[in-house]
Amino acid sequence: GRPYPWPKDPSPEIPTLTPERFEVVERHRAQSICRPDAPPDWPRIFELIAELRAMAAARSVPLAVMLIPDEFQVEDSVWEAVRSGPDGEKLDRDLPQRVLNTWLAQQEIPALDLLPALRAVMPLADGKRHLYQLRDTHFNARGNEVAGDELGEFLRRWW
């Protein structure tokens, strides 16, 4: 706890990326998956998931999918920074989850979408949820705890 105090309190987290680099990364990610007028290659994504399902079925292994949102989808301040960039007004924050959840349901592939649970986390005093490492794009201890709790509940149906 002493050298890394942020598992319980994320306020002293040490950022990985500069503010400028982090904004570039998040904008690029948002532009890659949240533009209805320039969507990702959904047919190829669906094809790959179908291949995974076929490989799992051939081995009698159940398949489930977990959707892990990007930080810009969870933290309003990151979303506002992303939207302030070029073509930001064209972005649809929830597009990836809508498309994937719809397709997975049609294919009867069980899916856990972490977005609702992460957005439901009460913000801390500064108004942020602090579920991702500071300017890093990966979950921190708080985010991992939420994801782990949700995954445990989701998997309970097979236990």
Side-chain angles (χ1 to χ4, degrees):
R2 197 173 314 147
Y4 302 103
W6 48 86
K8 298 231 184 279
D9 176 12
S11 62
E13 281 184 336
I14 299 168
T16 301
L17 301 172
T18 65
E20 298 80 19
R21 181 68 187 142
F22 180 70
E23 196 168 300
V24 166
V25 168
E26 289 297 293
R27 275 195 182 134
H28 174 74
R29 288 178 172 195
Q31 291 288 339
S32 297
I33 64 172
C34 294
R35 286 197 50 184
D37 64 331
D41 189 353
W42 290 121
R44 178 66 179 141
I45 293 167
F46 300 151
E47 180 183 326
L48 291 170
I49 297 170
E51 287 176 21
L52 282 173
R53 178 167 65 179
M55 288 187 288
R59 292 166 181 79
S60 300
V61 174
L63 174 71
V65 173
M66 181 165 65
L67 304 180
I68 304 172
D70 201 293
E71 186 171 0
F72 70 80
Q73 294 180 284
V74 176
E75 287 288 359
D76 294 335
S77 61
V78 178
W79 176 241
E80 290 309 315
V82 163
R83 290 207 59 215
S84 70
D87 291 332
E89 74 283 352
K90 295 180 181 178
L91 299 176
D92 179 346
R93 192 178 191 183
D94 298 330
L95 178 66
Q97 278 72 12
R98 275 198 318 277
V99 171
L100 288 167
N101 280 318
T102 298
W103 186 83
L104 291 165
Q106 290 169 347
Q107 302 302 309
E108 298 180 351
I109 297 174
L112 168 61
D113 181 0
L114 293 178
L115 185 57
L118 293 169
R119 282 189 182 161
V121 171
M122 292 300 298
L124 298 180
D126 66 356
K128 297 178 183 177
R129 292 176 180 88
H130 292 279
L131 300 168
Y132 295 79
Q133 293 179 31
L134 183 59
R135 294 196 311 263
D136 183 274
T137 77
H138 297 88
F139 285 141
N140 62 13
R142 287 170 53 87
N144 276 308
E145 183 176 8
V146 173
D149 290 346
E150 291 296 309
L151 182 57
E153 276 301 311
F154 178 76
L155 294 175
R156 197 175 305 280
R157 71 178 80 176
W158 289 290
W159 292 341

